[in-house]
Amino acid sequence: MARGIVTLTTDFGLADPYVGIMKGVILGVAPRARIVDLTHQIQPFEIAEAGFVIWQSWRYFPAGTVHVVVVDPGVGTLRRPILAEAGGHYFLGPDNGVFSMIFDELPHKVREVTAEAFFLKPVSRTFHGRDVFAPVAARLARGLSPARLGKLIRDYARQEFFKPVRSGKRIWTGTVLRADRFGNLITNFRLSEFPTVATRPFLLRAGLETITRLAGTFAEVPPGELALVEGSTGYLEIVMNQASAARKLGCGPGSPLELTLY
Amino acid sequence: MARGIVTLTTDFGLADPYVGIMKGVILGVAPRARIVDLTHQIQPFEIAEAGFVIWQSWRYFPAGTVHVVVVDPGVGTLRRPILAEAGGHYFLGPDNGVFSMIFDELPHKVREVTAEAFFLKPVSRTFHGRDVFAPVAARLARGLSPARLGKLIRDYARQEFFKPVRSGKRIWTGTVLRADRFGNLITNFRLSEFPTVATRPFLLRAGLETITRLAGTFAEVPPGELALVEGSTGYLEIVMNQASAARKLGCGPGSPLELTLY
Amino acid sequence: MARGIVTLTTDFGLADPYVGIMKGVILGVAPRARIVDLTHQIQPFEIAEAGFVIWQSWRYFPAGTVHVVVVDPGVGTLRRPILAEAGGHYFLGPDNGVFSMIFDELPHKVREVTAEAFFLKPVSRTFHGRDVFAPVAARLARGLSPARLGKLIRDYARQEFFKPVRSGKRIWTGTVLRADRFGNLITNFRLSEFPTVATRPFLLRAGLETITRLAGTFAEVPPGELALVEGSTGYLEIVMNQASAARKLGCGPGSPLELTLY
């Protein structure tokens, strides 16, 4: 099923050549691989942010795509490299729970990647993106069978990310997952899980403000006002019309939210 | 004429995975497309800036290239997606005037893109880059005939960008179009339209300074002094030699300029 | 040996479309070239920084790769474009010493690039990345023989970069080469040249602190403490465990270091 696409998600930034070096390694093994950057601006070591990004993105790629995520506070320790298969895609990264949102949603198999024959030698202790993940991703992109990489495991790491918590009879406590470049605040409330937001009154507390409106799109929001829209990921986002909700509210990733349904 | 190249110009930034997601959609439809980023750091909603960037860039690509510009304050409203053909290239984006500089310069045809069969379903109300422009660009890159996308229209949006205005007998009022990373200030005066700058005295007021020198290249400018050079786009740029004219003058995009010719 | 890969290292940043324009020119000449960005965030005109990045990166690409470096304070002057061949790779850029670290390490041949037939016409005086280096790189990626580009020269520029200096009986003075995104400080001390750091006591002064520990990897460093690790380039790096050594020390590129060996 491999079509030779590799996506990269890291916290390496773009000022250093680390991402380019990974691409050099990939193209050395798989000269025809197509490499797509998702983002390299994950906050350093923010596994949860990387987990949200890959969950949000993988489904827009063709089946057989290899998704490499290198946000890896434990690099150089005994934490294992893993390969997960889910939804017809490959997910390659450290065993630190970064794929938990995908595991929550889809049947999946996970292998520990032990086939050191495919690693770049010597494996450095600080840059497994280059020495482990890039060459293994390239092998997969060329069609290597996952079974060649290592055995199935069951004790891989999982984390509970991003779930709203019931904190009262009709009250849920949530959080801001991300602020995007426009200042839209992606919340951890999914419209599909809180469908009455679309049909009945609600009240969302954020910062010092209260939001009571669900809009169909940004342009429907009156200037200067805050509203919710269903974002492109299915999560509700706090937005303004051509202005920054993040700045208006003083909120960002991790800011608490409280949703009351009536 | 299609050679399968797609360029992307957006205000999405690179911290979010939105650009990568568009690439996933494109590669799903057109696995051999070559995708080139022009910039994703257009100031949010700055149609004029995006219009200048695409005008400056398209001509360096081979004929048949598909140029996608998504700077779209009206996403989710009734504003139409359009496809323009000009100079042997394709230009795909919202109908908000972003291609006006190209229309001013070249014969062109414009279609409203109505062929929803090619859109990603359901079309979100917030991310037409992914759901409309990416899949349509990919079809064009694969050689789809533009006529399959929709009918020719004449009432597409145009804007007057960036033209200097005569404000006295020998005086023209202009503006700074962009500051680049080096602090060079790209003005809206084209040397070809003001050729006497090269042959006779002139005086350009910018910030609190007055510039009277046209240099052939940066290295000719004495340290600490300001000068004009003809930039790579044909527009005059205010520059210093290995220093930032933008910082020296306190000027940036939109700053007023006054050119006096003698 | 050409496999059609072109890497790009510039100080152009990503806000302007200059890098994308270079890619358009390359793809126009070599439609199948694979283009990889190393970084475009070299500090403006910092030849030494660019020289370190390309030295650090080239070896991870397949033989025959064309490495283009455009950090070029002298653009538009008489400084020559050069093509170097070393280690089975091509290095293309201005003759300003940017490839000195590679010349120090490998046998090499250098040509002045004089074959104007391959340049984009007219050659601007401000953007040789587009008009000279991109089209020439594309020719090389398509398999053009280097001899077609110009004659071998011997008087190309070289610079002494980055060498620690002996300043006492057991004391060496060095410098910080780069700070990466995580705040790790890459020093100009290579473990292979100072191997006793691994086996005997040492003392590295940086900022107001003194570092006495060599760790195998980040995770071995106790929270809040500074240590050295051998980075992925072979140079010693001053690091903290999931924290920024650069911020802790107030150091960055160019900060002085003093290493005492016992």
Side-chain angles (χ1 to χ4, degrees), chain B residues 214-232:
Chain B
L214 178 74
T217 187
F218 302 110
E220 290 175 22
V221 184
E225 285 193 26
L226 292 155
L228 293 182
V229 301
E230 184 185 14
S232 56

Side-chain angles (χ1 to χ4, degrees), chain C residues 223-245:
Chain C
E225 285 193 24
L226 292 155
L228 294 182
V229 301
E230 183 183 16
S232 56
T233 61
Y235 283 88
L236 292 168
E237 304 184 7
I238 306 172
V239 308
M240 300 182 72
N241 186 356
Q242 299 189 38
S244 167

Side-chain angles (χ1 to χ4, degrees), chain A residues 185 202-213 224-228 238-240 244-251 256-260:
Chain A
L185 297 167
F202 71 90
L203 190 147
L204 180 74
R205 289 182 207 280
L208 298 173
E209 304 279 341
T210 298
I211 297 143
T212 58
R213 176 198 293 269
E225 286 193 24
L226 292 156
L228 294 181
I238 307 173
V239 307
M240 300 183 72
S244 167
R247 198 174 310 155
K248 168 95 167 177
L249 292 171
C251 287
L257 303 171
E258 191 181 87
L259 177 66
T260 308

Side-chain angles (χ1 to χ4, degrees), chain C residues 242-256:
Chain C
Q242 299 189 38
S244 167
R247 197 175 310 155
K248 168 96 168 176
L249 292 170
C251 287
S255 295

